[in-house]
Amino acid sequence: MGMPITTASFAVHGGRLALARAQYPTQLVWIDLSTGISPWAYPAAIDAENLRRLPEPGALAMLEAAAAAVFGSDPAATVAVPGSDIALRLIARLIPARSPAILGPGYSGHRAMWPDAAVLTDLAAEHNDALVLARPDNPDGAKVDRDLLADAARRLAAKGGWLIVDEAFADTEIEPGIAAAKWPGTIVLRSFGKFFGLAGLRLGFVIAPPGFAASLRQLLGDWPISGPAIVIGTAAYHDLAWQSAQQRRLGDAAARLDSVLSEAGFAIAGGTPCFRLVDTPDAALLFEHLAHRAILTRPFADNPRRLRVGLPASETETARLQHALQTARMT
């Protein structure tokens, strides 16, 4: 049985709130739980001068150094990009892969890199010269074993191939990410907006070997990042106390969401501190039930049992979600 047309429109990616308002008219204030973006944003401040002037090269270098200190990477190998999603597409342009592969099912944006890529269920990649995966994965939060990943990186590098690791949700983790490992032939992506709650700023990073990093910088040009993104990003990466508090806040909120989902009788199939993945026989019906109550979640076209639920931002939002889930069980 296929996904309803109304639901299928939201299976592309999260955040389609304008479409939700059009398809599900209501007087209620919408709660957007369709993304993995933190509902608590870094307290950004920007001087108007940064809107009037072109970004300075020195300021961009300071941003990359601040980010690299958090990632454990080399600043020279850490390239700021206008969002990790566009970085995926640029990486595909710079890598002449003849047999790329995706560790599936994975994030839908990985398919945009190489539409005809093979989808693998393990790290073997014996016949592939590029392999892309997310760690932790989206939407189930699974993390490929670090030692197995290191072996895969060495095997790919030995034949001139590439391992691309998407660490979009790694900032929520306490342990060091793959960016600090500096494996051969390995490219790592980091996202700013999800953890810092400022997705509209469009800021991300690519950590790559020197030659690749230089090619990417040349492709991006002299002003790859806006002045406001540089100023806010630099301040945020220097603010280690806020980052620690954010990790605790997200972890506590995820635990509360677990309780709400479990008490309503829904099985949790995985997730990260930024979201939870629900497994239920007909996720499309649950999506529709919540949408009619002005709560937007994220369905998946490739798995009709899955529904991703983000973090409510307040006790009021949590109570609304709790009531909606409980009434879903009654219908």
Side-chain angles (χ1 to χ4, degrees):
M1 181 177 177
M3 179 177 290
I5 294 175
T6 51
T7 304
S9 302
F10 299 91
V12 179
H13 55 69
R16 312 191 85 178
L17 196 55
L19 181 62
R21 290 190 176 110
Q23 291 193 184
Y24 303 95
T26 175
Q27 297 301 311
L28 295 171
V29 175
W30 277 88
I31 301 174
D32 186 2
L33 306 181
S34 66
T35 74
I37 300 165
S38 166
W40 301 285
Y42 184 76
I46 188 70
D47 190 290
E49 184 69 9
N50 288 293
L51 296 172
R52 291 193 292 265
R53 294 181 56 82
L54 288 170
E56 296 283 353
L60 177 61
M62 289 177 63
L63 165 64
E64 292 172 342
V70 172
F71 306 155
S73 58
D74 179 355
T78 304
V79 183
V81 294
S84 56
D85 189 70
I86 193 172
L88 291 167
R89 292 161 170 80
L90 294 178
I91 288 170
R93 288 188 60 183
L94 291 172
I95 293 179
R98 287 179 296 209
S99 56
I102 299 167
L103 186 65
Y107 169 55
S108 60
H110 297 162
R111 173 62 66 185
M113 296 177 71
W114 294 295
D116 298 324
V119 179
L120 306 181
T121 57
D122 58 45
L123 295 173
E126 296 176 1
H127 307 292
N128 307 103
D129 56 0
L131 175 63
V132 59
L133 59 95
R135 187 180 189 273
D137 201 4
N138 179 11
D140 62 11
K143 289 196 295 183
V144 176
D145 179 81
R146 195 182 185 91
D147 291 336
L148 294 177
L149 201 55
D151 288 340
R154 285 190 288 269
R155 290 197 308 271
L156 283 162
K159 57 184 178 181
W162 293 89
L163 174 68
I164 301 110
V165 184
D166 185 348
E167 291 192 319
F169 291 97
D171 286 312
T172 63
E173 308 285 332
I174 303 298
E175 68 176 50
I178 301 303
K182 303 177 177 68
W183 296 333
T186 301
I187 299 170
V188 178
L189 294 102
R190 295 291 289 247
S191 171
F192 175 83
K194 296 177 178 64
F195 177 75
F196 288 96
L198 294 170
L201 206 60
R202 305 314 303 140
L203 177 61
F205 297 86
V206 173
I207 301 94
F212 188 94
S215 296
L216 180 58
R217 290 186 197 280
Q218 184 177 31
L219 183 62
L220 288 166
D222 294 330
W223 301 289
I225 307 299
S226 71
I230 290 174
V231 172
I232 295 169
T234 303
Y237 281 119
H238 279 147
D239 198 341
L240 300 182
W242 189 91
Q243 292 173 50
S244 295
Q246 180 79 326
Q247 288 175 334
R248 292 192 297 273
R249 181 163 44 227
L250 293 172
D252 291 344
R256 289 194 296 271
L257 180 56
D258 284 344
S259 297
V260 169
L261 293 168
S262 298
E263 287 172 6
F266 291 98
I268 300 168
T272 74
C274 284
F275 60 82
R276 286 298 189 254
L277 182 66
V278 170
D279 181 273
T280 185
D282 199 336
L285 284 180
L286 179 57
F287 171 87
E288 293 277 340
H289 176 86
L290 294 174
H292 282 294
R293 288 153 183 80
I295 299 174
L296 185 60
T297 54
R298 168 69 154 89
F300 294 88
D302 63 345
N303 192 328
R305 293 185 61 95
R306 287 182 161 186
L307 193 70
R308 193 181 67 193
V309 183
L311 303 178
S314 64
E315 292 183 5
T316 300
E317 289 191 3
T318 300
R320 272 185 59 187
L321 175 64
Q322 186 173 31
H323 182 262
L325 291 170
Q326 290 172 346
T327 56
R329 277 301 185 192
M330 298 174 187
T331 57

